[in-house]
Amino acid sequence: MLFLRIVLMAAILASFSVAATAQRLSLGVICDRWPPYQIVEGNQISGFSAEIVKMVFERMNIEFVSMKAYPWNRAIKMMENGTADALFSANYTKDRTEFAYYPKETIVDSLWVMWVRKESGLKFESLNDLIGKRVGMVRGYSYTSDFRDFIRTHTLFEEVASDEQNFRKLNGGRVHYIVAELRNGAHIVRSLGFDGIIPLDKNPVKFDGLYLIFNKRNVPRSLVDQFSVELGKLKQEPVYKALYEKYFLLQLN
């Protein structure tokens, strides 16, 4: 009987410890304005990635100190200096692993392609098609090293703060090409009514995953691993497919 009481007391204390930990555990999460992955309307952030992150955190009993949107380059700086705990939707780059943990699971995989004005007749079958052309890029984005090295050597590249700025420049004929993620680009083209802009998606610049990355200063690796496990489970459930269709298939087809 004494042994049973001890076991019962230990279980109660353990449950209090877990509850206290869950209550204390809260994170400041940031992103940029990047529909349909993160859609910012006033103080509210929705979108595919945002909803997935919120859903996984709820299952982990993690609460948000805040979820705020910033320009991408600033968001990366916040992760570097430790003023943010986590950032989505981020591609993998080796230099970011110096200050951030990557989960094993991606939120979703994505395709990056070149975009042109249809009337220009421009093609993209190899990087050589870009030689001497004006190419729009976004400051702070992770492009492949081969692509970035080629652009810097052979083109008149221009960097801006957001994808929307790039699409406006392309629509106005101020650049020949821009590189952008396929779903985000399709969303911008539709929302701005730029029917004359098309993706050259037969030869993508890169195929990459989008992650929620965690600040190494503020978040233990064990939490990152737990997030990856819970995200992997969620991706096998109907709710993940429903969100995929809601933000990608139904809106962008």
Side-chain angles (χ1 to χ4, degrees):
M1 180 66 70
L2 178 61
F3 175 76
L4 183 59
R5 289 178 181 173
I6 293 172
V7 170
L8 182 60
M9 182 62 69
I12 292 172
L13 289 174
S15 67
F16 277 127
S17 176
V18 170
T21 300
Q23 190 174 8
R24 287 197 306 268
L25 196 54
S26 55
L27 298 176
V29 182
I30 61 174
C31 63
D32 66 342
R33 185 187 300 267
W34 206 54
Y37 297 100
Q38 39 262 16
I39 301 168
V40 182
E41 296 174 323
N43 295 324
Q44 300 299 313
I45 300 177
S46 60
F48 181 80
S49 294
E51 290 206 35
I52 293 296
V53 170
K54 290 174 184 176
M55 198 171 293
V56 175
F57 276 13
E58 285 175 4
R59 296 182 179 198
M60 294 172 64
N61 291 321
I62 294 174
E63 61 183 4
F64 294 102
V65 171
S66 62
M67 179 181 280
K68 295 183 179 179
Y70 299 91
W72 184 254
N73 211 37
R74 181 179 173 187
I76 290 293
K77 295 295 183 185
M78 292 174 68
M79 288 293 291
E80 287 179 345
N81 62 32
T83 55
D85 297 320
L87 165 68
F88 66 93
S89 306
N91 293 130
Y92 175 84
T93 66
K94 186 176 180 180
D95 60 329
R96 291 176 188 167
T97 61
E98 295 183 8
F99 58 84
Y101 290 124
Y102 277 82
K104 293 180 181 178
E105 284 286 341
T106 64
I107 296 172
V108 71
D109 294 326
S110 69
L111 202 65
W112 294 73
V113 303
M114 303 302 299
W115 297 75
V116 298
R117 284 175 292 123
K118 182 187 283 189
E119 65 180 21
S120 71
L122 292 171
K123 60 182 181 178
F124 180 67
E125 296 177 354
S126 74
L127 290 175
N128 289 331
D129 291 325
L130 306 180
I131 293 176
K133 299 296 193 298
R134 294 191 306 278
V135 179
M137 302 166 68
V138 176
R139 196 174 301 113
Y141 275 18
S142 62
Y143 306 98
T144 66
S145 56
D146 289 345
F147 178 80
R148 187 177 286 280
D149 290 345
F150 186 93
I151 291 295
R152 286 175 171 169
T153 302
H154 298 287
T155 74
L156 305 170
F157 75 95
E158 301 177 14
E159 291 186 313
V160 296
S162 72
D163 288 286
E164 185 174 310
Q165 286 178 271
N166 257 345
F167 276 95
R168 290 185 185 278
K169 289 177 68 174
L170 179 61
N171 190 64
R174 288 180 284 162
V175 291
H176 295 99
Y177 294 88
I178 63 172
V179 56
E181 199 272 341
L182 183 59
R183 299 184 189 114
N184 172 247
H187 191 285
I188 292 172
V189 166
R190 175 169 291 187
S191 64
L192 295 179
F194 292 165
D195 297 335
I197 292 178
I198 59 172
L200 304 179
D201 52 4
K202 291 184 178 179
N203 293 291
V205 173
K206 70 171 181 174
F207 181 77
D208 208 346
L210 300 178
Y211 295 85
L212 172 67
I213 60 175
F214 295 84
N215 194 292
K216 284 186 173 181
R217 297 187 193 180
N218 308 338
V219 179
R221 178 78 232 192
S222 57
L223 186 144
V224 181
D225 293 338
Q226 184 187 357
F227 175 86
S228 195
V229 170
E230 294 299 329
L231 176 56
K233 293 177 183 177
L234 179 62
K235 289 168 72 173
Q236 302 303 313
E237 298 176 14
V239 65
Y240 183 90
K241 181 180 178 182
L243 286 173
Y244 190 98
E245 292 177 350
K246 172 184 175 181
Y247 285 106
F248 302 147
L249 301 185
L250 299 185
Q251 288 192 14
L252 302 182
N253 282 349

